[in-house]
């Protein structure tokens, strides 16, 4: 008989387990295991599947039972500046996820979420539409433009709300303008309106109404089920649509209830057709964020906009951004422009997910880094 006594993620031994009833039939499948949080924190990946084995080899995935539900969150725990999540993956096996701490996992938010779910009710007379941008932290792209246009209309037969973090520098100014229709992120009404919502309208995918990753099952389920209009935050598919990074956008793989996608041209539409979308899924209106933009006379900047690299996300979130190829590529480009005497012409525009980290890590180059793509 094989002796399997360790827990692994890939080739990392992170914990031990025991079989207290290993000599009893049926019960010999039961194990007791312990994985220290500090071992999870050392991993350079956001998601780590749990495997079992011994010092010689790793044998198989670990699952709680044969009837485990896929994509179910089993436990969340705050540890240092991280949220540790024990959950079932798509194959119903155990996965450990470590993400930066976020307010929705606090005790106060958990109480608000539970109450909001219990007290929510559909307004049968009016649709409830919710607008938001990246992690509900900004109001700078297409979503706020569309929301503002809607709020200027008379006799609208719907309720419309924009979600914004109170830490946004323009929050108070916008609160004066939109009043009760601007909802503070993490407020009780924020959670309540999510459960009461009929539609999402956003320049990001629906999860950004809270965060880029959500492991609160009832909240995630409602967000995934709600019909959404994707305004986009840029011209789509600068990379080939058959790139594995783009598979999540294919119609058959898209986990969200995405009913419309805004596009800017027939050429862009062709890329959506390749991914299984039809004309009825698309709205060729262009990006609303460009509605009020003018080209500066004498504009001469050369913008460098490196794309998102999902496999380096954990390193960046844990403060090791200088170890990433993303960071090194930016430094290399800056150095080349400096050698050529063209530094003042360069404008570095990091991807939305990484922009704040790049901006903070390179204070000596802040004059050539623009963290807001819309401004760029």
């Amino acid at each position: 008989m094989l002796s399997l006594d360790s827990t692994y993620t890939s080739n990392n031994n992170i914990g031990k387990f025991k079989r207290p009833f290993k000599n009893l039939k049926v019960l010999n499948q039961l194990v007791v295991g312990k994985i220290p949080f500090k071992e999870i924190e050392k991993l350079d990946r956001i998601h780590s599947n749990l495997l079992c084995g011994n010092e010689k080899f790793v044998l198989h995935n670990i699952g709680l039972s044969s009837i485990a539900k896929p994509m179910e969150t089993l436990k969340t725990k705050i540890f240092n500046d991280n949220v540790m999540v024990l959950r079932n993956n798509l194959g119903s096996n155990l996965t450990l996820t470590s993400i930066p701490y976020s307010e929705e996992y606090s005790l106060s938010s958990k109480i608000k979420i539970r109450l909001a779910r219990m007290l929510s009710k559909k307004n049968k007379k009016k649709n409830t539409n919710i607008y938001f941008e990246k992690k509900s932290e900004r109001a700078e792209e297409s979503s706020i433009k569309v929301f503002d246009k809607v709020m200027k209309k008379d006799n609208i037969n719907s309720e419309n709300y924009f979600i914004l973090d109170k830490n946004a520098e323009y929050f108070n100014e916008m609160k004066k303008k939109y009043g009760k229709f601007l909802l503070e992120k993490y407020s009780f009404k924020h959670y309540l309106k999510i459960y009461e919502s009929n539609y999402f309208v956003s320049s990001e995918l629906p999860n950004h109404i809270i965060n880029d990753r959500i492991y609160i099952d009832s909240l995630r389920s409602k967000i995934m089920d709600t019909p959404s209009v994707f305004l986009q935050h840029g011209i789509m598919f600068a990379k080939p649509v058959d790139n594995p990074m783009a598979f999540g956008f294919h119609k058959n793989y898209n986990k969200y209830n995405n009913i419309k996608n805004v596009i800017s041209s027939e050429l862009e539409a062709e890329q959506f057709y390749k991914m299984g979308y039809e004309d009825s899924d698309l709205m060729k209106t262009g990006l609303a964020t460009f509605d009020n933009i003018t080209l500066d006379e004498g504009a001469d900047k050369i913008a460098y906009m490196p794309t998102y690299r999902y496999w380096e996300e954990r390193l960046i979130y844990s403060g090791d951004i200088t170890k990433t190829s993303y960071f090194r590529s930016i430094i290399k480009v800056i150095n080349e422009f400096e050698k050529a005497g063209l530094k003042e012409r360069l404008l570095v525009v990091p991807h939305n997910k990484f922009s704040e980290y790049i901006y903070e890590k390179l204070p000596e180059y802040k004059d050539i880094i623009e963290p807001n793509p819309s401004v760029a």
Side-chain angles (χ1 to χ4, degrees):
M1 174 180 272
L2 295 173
S3 174
L4 305 175
D5 56 11
S6 298
T7 307
Y8 294 80
T9 63
S10 186
N11 293 320
N12 299 291
N13 186 344
I14 62 170
K16 297 288 184 180
F17 64 83
K18 296 180 180 179
R19 295 178 184 269
F21 308 108
K22 63 181 179 180
N23 295 322
L24 298 176
K25 289 185 177 181
V26 182
L27 293 180
N28 61 4
Q29 295 299 311
L30 297 177
V31 299
V32 177
K34 182 178 180 180
I35 302 173
F37 285 138
K38 62 182 181 181
E39 294 298 324
I40 306 171
E41 204 172 32
K42 291 177 184 177
L43 302 174
D44 60 2
R45 301 179 63 183
I46 290 177
H47 308 298
S48 301
N49 293 336
L50 288 185
L51 309 164
C52 68
N54 56 26
E55 293 181 356
K56 295 182 179 179
F57 60 87
V58 174
L59 184 63
H60 60 71
N61 291 293
I62 298 175
L64 284 185
S65 74
S66 59
I67 57 172
K69 295 179 181 178
M71 301 300 290
E72 180 183 16
T73 300
L74 304 168
K75 185 76 174 177
T76 61
K77 186 73 175 179
I78 298 168
F79 179 72
N80 292 336
D81 296 324
N82 296 302
V83 177
M84 304 297 184
V85 184
L86 178 66
R87 62 188 182 86
N88 291 332
N89 55 32
L90 278 171
S92 298
N93 294 311
L94 290 178
T95 291
L96 286 170
T97 291
S98 177
I99 54 177
Y101 171 76
S102 189
E103 179 66 26
E104 64 267 24
Y105 297 99
S106 68
L107 178 60
S108 61
S109 271
K110 287 182 177 180
I111 293 172
K112 291 176 189 175
I113 290 167
R114 180 161 293 197
L115 284 174
R117 184 185 182 193
M118 291 170 54
L119 299 176
S120 63
K121 58 183 179 180
K122 292 290 185 181
N123 187 334
K124 300 300 182 183
K125 294 182 179 179
K126 293 184 177 182
N127 282 333
T128 297
N129 306 319
I130 302 185
Y131 302 74
F132 52 93
E133 294 179 6
K134 183 200 170 201
K135 297 183 182 179
S136 291
E137 294 174 347
R138 297 181 180 180
E140 300 164 352
E141 298 183 9
S142 291
S143 299
I144 189 61
K145 303 292 194 301
V146 176
F147 176 73
D148 187 64
K149 201 78 170 179
V150 168
M151 296 304 290
K152 291 175 180 176
K153 298 282 186 179
D154 295 324
N155 303 317
I156 293 290
N157 190 30
S158 61
E159 292 184 352
N160 296 275
Y161 299 94
F162 193 92
I163 313 297
L164 184 62
D165 195 305
K166 67 179 180 181
N167 294 316
E169 59 184 25
Y170 35 70
F171 180 87
N172 291 334
E173 177 186 342
M174 288 184 59
K175 190 65 177 175
K176 290 179 182 177
K177 181 176 182 179
Y178 298 116
K180 67 179 183 180
F181 301 107
L182 182 76
L183 304 183
E184 181 184 323
K185 184 182 180 183
Y186 299 130
S187 66
F188 171 73
K189 201 167 183 181
H190 175 200
Y191 295 122
L192 179 65
K193 291 304 174 183
I194 290 176
Y195 284 108
E196 292 184 343
S197 60
N198 298 98
Y199 295 95
F200 296 148
V201 183
S202 179
S203 47
E204 302 283 345
L205 292 177
N207 50 321
H208 279 266
I209 197 169
I210 295 284
N211 214 324
D212 55 346
R213 290 182 174 86
I214 302 170
Y215 298 106
I216 301 169
D217 289 353
S218 70
L219 203 56
R220 184 179 68 240
S221 178
K222 177 62 175 76
I223 289 170
M224 293 179 75
D225 289 342
T226 302
S228 68
V229 177
F230 184 34
L231 303 176
Q232 300 197 70
H233 53 253
I235 305 302
M236 203 60 157
F237 307 116
K239 52 181 176 286
V241 297
D242 57 355
N243 186 307
M245 288 178 61
F247 281 172
F249 291 104
H250 286 236
K251 187 173 181 178
N252 291 339
Y253 292 99
N254 193 333
K255 299 180 180 66
Y256 299 101
N257 188 7
N258 180 221
I259 59 170
K260 293 289 181 182
N261 302 273
V262 163
I263 60 169
S264 300
S265 67
E266 286 298 330
L267 184 62
E268 191 178 15
E270 290 176 9
Q271 302 305 306
F272 277 85
Y273 298 151
K274 292 177 183 177
M275 298 188 302
Y277 292 91
E278 301 175 358
D279 285 329
S280 59
D281 302 315
L282 308 176
M283 298 173 67
K284 193 175 74 172
T285 65
L287 304 185
T289 189
F290 291 141
D291 283 358
N292 303 320
I293 289 178
T294 56
L295 181 66
D296 288 345
E297 194 171 336
D300 65 349
K301 293 289 185 183
I302 300 170
Y304 174 55
M305 306 176 73
T307 192
Y308 170 53
R309 301 179 187 185
Y310 68 90
W311 58 91
E312 295 186 329
E313 203 168 330
R314 174 64 187 165
L315 278 172
I316 291 175
Y317 287 165
S318 61
D320 292 331
I321 193 170
T322 56
K323 297 178 182 178
T324 65
S325 64
Y326 194 87
F327 183 85
R328 291 195 298 270
S329 71
I330 290 175
I331 294 297
K332 184 177 180 180
V333 169
I334 291 175
N335 289 341
E336 290 300 320
F337 269 76
E338 285 180 325
K339 288 178 187 177
L342 293 170
K343 178 190 166 187
E344 73 283 354
R345 295 279 305 279
L346 177 63
L347 186 66
V348 177
V349 190
H351 187 274
N352 268 346
K353 280 196 171 186
F354 300 158
S355 59
E356 59 189 278
Y357 298 92
I358 294 292
Y359 193 72
E360 291 172 1
K361 206 68 180 181
L362 294 172
E364 69 273 30
Y365 292 116
K366 283 189 174 181
D367 59 324
I368 64 169
I369 298 174
E370 177 49 65
N372 183 347
S374 295
V375 172

